[in-house]
Amino acid sequence: MITRKFLLAALLVPLGATLAVAPAASAAAPPAASAASASPDAVAFRSPEAALDRVAHPLRTTEPRGNVADLRPFGTMVGDATVVGVGEATHSSHEFVTLKHRMLRYLVEEKGFRTFALEAAWSSGLRIDAYLTRGEGDLKQIMDEEFQGTYRWWNNAEYRDLLQWARSYNIQHPGDPVRFVGDDNGFAGPQLYDKVNTFAAASSPELAAQITELYQGLRPTISAETYVDDYFAKPLAERKAIAERTGRAVDLLKQHPGADPDAHAWAVQHASAIHQMTTLYAFDWDDPRNIPGAMLYRDRVMADNIAWWQQRTGSKIMLSAHNSHTALKTYAPASHPRVQGEFLREQLGTGYLSVGLTFNQGDLFGPAFKNGAFVGQHGSWNRKPRSGYKVIFVPFTGGKPSG
């Protein structure tokens, strides 16, 4: 058993590379081979644990402080990649976040990475980036205001510690800072509207008037969670009409480059982030047939935002998200036809590396739920009121369901 090697360690497995280790489920069993001549595939077929035992590198700790030399095998895996997607089996688990903190430290100090990307709103990323690079605002207040609703996962002490480390690094390296980007489209904060309106006003009075009209009534003036709840309370036809308006705003901006190409590029991206939110919420989320299309759109948007940031800033990016987003192939094609990692591999080629984090052992829910599987029956996070998942626990004995 390899568990003895991982009492304090997380298992790092490049998602997609596992296909080269484990044969397809439909493949016939390989012929018997002697221990001396057994191929890696044959070993993996007989015992995945034995195969992992041959290639695993134990980590000193999952905590962020101290020497990171034990991550050198990870550095070899990274190679020349410009975007490294680091997944997690569960959101907000202490060890996953602290290990990502260690990995970020290593990538910044040893591999020249300068951006941490999170599955958070683009507008939230702008506020956190301003804190990291210029010390603007109070971090706890920013996190309390930005990480609400479905983004509440990130409002914890572990992520605050990670961001405070990045701020401290930037104080010591003001000319070469670590930056932050949010790649998701679940919310579009007021600063996006302000930045687009500022650009339009500097470009021409006519453009400013058109943008103001198209954005009328959309700029958030209440909390992020309340804004999204109220937005979903709008009739579907109204949400679709809003998405059409924000799309026209993007088109108008593209037609008015102004005098500063860089300012124009950022204004178009900010307007696109607004449109990404309104388009996501223009899907009929109450109809299960629309869920795959909405999820496909969301993952494509997250990939596009990461690729845009990388190409615009030239920064190497450590991307943090769930394993199901960073993977090279979808786990659930019926509901998530394609995922962020797949789109990034298409856009960046081998410049994108996918790394998964999973538990080897643990007591997240205590001994009563140690051996078994949780089954989540479908809920709806966007209904008002929300209807939660019905979670069923199935105990296992000897690797098979027993209750």
Side-chain angles (χ1 to χ4, degrees):
M1 299 287 290
I2 62 169
T3 54
R4 65 184 184 275
K5 289 191 173 184
F6 292 90
L7 295 177
L8 291 174
L11 178 65
L12 278 69
V13 180
L15 298 178
T18 53
L19 297 176
V21 176
S26 59
S34 67
S37 62
S39 68
D41 284 358
V43 172
F45 188 91
R46 292 198 304 271
S47 173
E49 288 184 344
L52 287 171
D53 203 23
R54 295 172 56 172
V55 298
H57 296 274
L59 302 182
R60 180 181 61 82
T61 179
T62 59
E63 294 303 304
R65 303 296 186 261
N67 192 290
V68 293
D70 55 322
L71 286 173
R72 285 173 184 163
F74 168 61
T76 301
M77 181 193 304
V78 170
D80 296 326
T82 54
V83 177
V84 175
V86 182
E88 55 196 29
T90 56
H91 287 325
S92 293
S93 295
H94 172 88
E95 290 79 7
F96 287 150
V97 182
T98 56
L99 179 56
K100 288 185 177 186
H101 187 164
R102 286 194 83 220
M103 297 168 77
L104 176 64
R105 276 189 55 215
Y106 177 84
L107 291 174
V108 169
E109 295 169 359
E110 303 295 333
K111 302 291 287 185
F113 280 61
R114 289 297 181 269
T115 295
F116 182 76
L118 186 61
E119 190 182 334
W122 180 267
S123 53
S124 301
L126 296 180
R127 288 191 70 187
I128 295 174
D129 187 57
Y131 167 79
L132 295 186
T133 57
R134 300 187 295 276
E136 294 182 6
D138 175 77
L139 180 59
K140 184 181 185 305
Q141 180 181 352
I142 293 170
M143 294 178 72
D144 287 344
E145 292 176 354
E146 296 298 330
F147 295 156
Q148 299 184 11
T150 56
Y151 297 125
R152 200 177 302 276
W153 299 107
W154 319 135
N155 193 6
N156 56 51
E158 290 83 2
Y159 268 115
R160 188 160 57 250
D161 188 37
L162 181 154
L163 295 172
Q164 287 171 336
W165 171 84
R167 176 59 188 154
S168 296
Y169 179 93
N170 290 345
I171 291 173
Q172 299 174 39
H173 305 83
D176 189 22
V178 174
R179 303 191 64 182
F180 184 98
V181 61
D183 64 356
D184 206 357
N185 58 337
F187 178 63
Q191 56 270 49
L192 296 183
Y193 294 89
D194 295 343
K195 289 179 179 295
V196 173
N197 283 324
T198 296
F199 175 85
S203 179
S204 74
E206 180 184 4
L207 177 62
Q210 291 173 310
I211 294 295
T212 298
E213 181 180 359
L214 291 171
Y215 284 165
Q216 184 174 3
L218 298 183
R219 182 186 183 277
T221 58
I222 52 180
S223 73
E225 185 171 14
T226 302
Y227 180 90
V228 172
D229 286 346
D230 290 351
Y231 196 93
F232 263 118
K234 300 178 188 293
L236 178 62
E238 183 179 350
R239 302 201 308 266
K240 288 183 175 181
I242 292 173
E244 190 274 334
R245 284 163 50 193
T246 59
R248 285 165 54 199
V250 174
D251 291 340
L252 274 173
L253 285 168
K254 289 180 177 178
Q255 298 166 16
H256 293 77
D260 185 342
D262 187 62
H264 178 249
W266 282 98
V268 170
Q269 176 61 19
H270 298 327
S272 296
I274 295 171
H275 184 54
Q276 289 165 359
M277 188 211 82
T278 61
T279 301
L280 180 67
Y281 294 156
F283 284 88
D284 183 359
W285 289 79
D286 289 326
D287 185 346
R289 294 172 297 179
N290 288 316
I291 302 303
M295 292 295 96
L296 177 68
Y297 177 73
R298 181 189 176 211
D299 272 86
R300 186 189 297 275
V301 160
M302 292 194 294
D304 288 346
N305 287 337
I306 290 295
W308 186 92
W309 180 277
Q310 198 284 317
Q311 292 161 7
R312 195 73 203 171
T313 67
S315 175
K316 291 184 179 181
I317 303 170
M318 175 176 160
L319 163 65
S320 176
H322 194 276
N323 286 336
S324 59
H325 291 303
T326 60
L328 298 180
K329 293 291 182 181
T330 181
Y331 296 165
S335 59
H336 295 70
R338 300 180 71 192
V339 293
Q340 182 180 18
E342 185 174 358
F343 290 122
L344 285 171
R345 175 56 65 89
E346 284 185 354
Q347 295 185 53
L348 304 176
T350 55
Y352 175 70
L353 174 71
S354 177
V355 178
L357 299 182
T358 188
F359 288 111
N360 180 62
Q361 59 183 23
D363 294 303
L364 184 64
F365 297 106
F369 301 104
K370 192 172 182 66
N371 296 301
F374 288 96
V375 179
Q377 296 185 343
H378 193 273
S380 181
W381 61 268
N382 60 340
R383 293 190 185 189
K384 191 172 184 180
R386 294 186 179 95
S387 60
Y389 282 86
K390 181 179 181 182
V391 180
I392 301 170
F393 177 75
V394 181
F396 275 57
T397 301
K400 295 182 179 179
S402 58

